[in-house]
Amino acid sequence: MLKLKTIIVEDEEISREILRNYLQKYCPKIELVGEASNIEEGLALIRNHTLDLVFLDVEMPHGNAFDLLEQVGDRSFETVFVTAYNQYAIEALNTHASYYLLKPISIDELIKAVDYVVQIKEKENALEDKVLTAYNSDKQGKITIPVQDGFEVLEAASILYCQADDNYTQIFLTSGGKKLVSKTLKYFQDALVDFGFVRVHKSYLININEVTGYRKGKGGAVILSTGKEVMVSASQKANLLAYFK
């Protein structure tokens, strides 16, 4: 289930408490990771967390919500303004707020606000997943790998081999570096099939162009250009050797 990493920026303690309790009771898709009582604390939380949603009081000591957003600059999180005053609605829209809640907070309106942000994030995730599905025969030998704040482009030829790590994959590079990616080995098997990569074991996918030798055995092992030996399972042996006919 999608969880929205969320903070509350609100100077009134009782208002923070009410909103916190409502979110915990009525909005199971919210993961509250922090609260702030002023702009400085809010900025610190925003800079120290990767957030999906910020509940933001408009009027606070030493500035307001718009001052905070101006200091943040480009942002990837959605904002829901919470205020006792409706005169800020136009300015909130101009800062691309997702929702505008008036105090006292209506539980129904709060649920609507959260559901609206969930829909936004689900659409974003669906689009990113489509971009990151790297069936790349037309991408000049490059694949995309997801990172925390977007994606990174790798030359397929720079990959020595991939190793399964539960639902993650360790990508080992010909340069000696490595990357841990939150995708399964099957994902990379599909993504790299057109670039000379072969699954030789349930845990290993290798770049056939980096193979320098083979050691016999029930399955045997391949030797890669760096000297690394990778086990070959008996069930994948014929598939591997077919590349060298």
Side-chain angles (χ1 to χ4, degrees):
M1 182 176 70
L2 176 68
K3 286 277 194 178
L4 301 177
K5 292 187 181 297
T6 302
I7 65 169
I8 297 169
V9 184
E10 163 68 67
D11 65 311
E12 296 178 358
E13 184 176 354
I14 186 64
S15 295
R16 289 198 307 274
E17 183 178 349
I18 290 170
L19 181 53
R20 181 197 318 128
N21 290 339
Y22 282 177
L23 291 172
Q24 290 172 345
K25 188 171 183 179
Y26 300 108
C27 302
K29 292 187 177 180
I30 292 292
E31 179 185 346
L32 193 60
V33 298
E35 297 179 15
S37 62
N38 55 55
I39 288 175
E40 290 75 18
E41 291 176 1
L43 281 171
L45 285 174
I46 289 167
R47 288 167 176 162
N48 290 324
H49 292 83
T50 301
L51 298 172
D52 299 302
L53 175 59
V54 174
F55 284 93
L56 194 52
D57 185 20
V58 174
E59 293 192 341
M60 288 178 285
H62 313 298
N64 60 33
F66 308 108
D67 298 324
L68 184 150
L69 293 177
E70 186 176 351
Q71 292 183 63
V72 170
D74 290 338
R75 60 186 189 270
S76 60
F77 57 82
E78 301 298 318
T79 53
V80 172
F81 284 89
V82 184
T83 179
Y85 310 98
N86 60 15
Q87 67 263 33
Y88 297 108
I90 298 299
E91 195 168 356
L93 289 173
N94 289 338
T95 59
H96 307 289
S98 297
Y99 219 90
Y100 193 88
L101 292 174
L102 284 173
K103 298 177 183 177
I105 295 173
S106 158
I107 293 170
D108 288 340
E109 284 299 309
L110 176 63
I111 293 170
K112 285 181 185 178
V114 171
D115 286 347
Y116 183 67
V117 174
V118 167
Q119 290 175 26
I120 292 172
K121 288 298 179 181
E122 285 177 342
K123 287 177 182 177
E124 286 180 0
N125 291 345
L127 179 60
E128 287 177 357
D129 285 345
K130 188 174 181 180
V131 170
L132 294 173
T133 301
Y135 301 114
N136 295 294
S137 57
D138 61 340
K139 298 295 189 297
Q140 301 179 333
K142 297 178 181 180
I143 68 164
T144 53
I145 61 171
V147 294
Q148 186 174 19
D149 58 353
F151 65 86
E152 182 178 344
V153 179
L154 279 183
E155 296 279 353
S158 72
I159 300 173
L160 184 67
Y161 69 97
C162 303
Q163 182 177 358
D165 188 356
D166 292 327
N167 288 324
Y168 290 77
T169 297
Q170 293 271 10
I171 298 177
F172 292 82
L173 304 175
T174 55
S175 63
K178 67 178 181 179
K179 298 179 181 292
L180 180 66
V181 183
S182 58
K183 294 287 185 183
T184 64
L185 190 62
K186 177 64 166 61
Y187 170 89
F188 286 103
Q189 182 180 352
D190 293 340
L192 293 166
V193 65
D194 293 331
F195 302 135
F197 283 74
V198 59
R199 186 82 170 257
V200 296
H201 188 277
K202 68 179 182 179
S203 297
Y204 293 102
L205 177 74
I206 65 165
N207 185 345
I208 206 73
N209 298 309
E210 294 294 325
V211 174
T212 61
Y214 171 76
R215 296 193 189 281
K216 285 177 155 184
K218 185 175 181 181
V222 289
I223 300 109
L224 301 179
S225 58
T226 58
K228 168 71 178 179
E229 289 195 18
V230 175
M231 289 189 304
V232 179
S233 66
S235 62
Q236 297 294 337
K237 181 177 179 178
N239 190 32
L240 169 69
L241 296 180
Y243 277 85
F244 299 97
K245 284 183 179 178

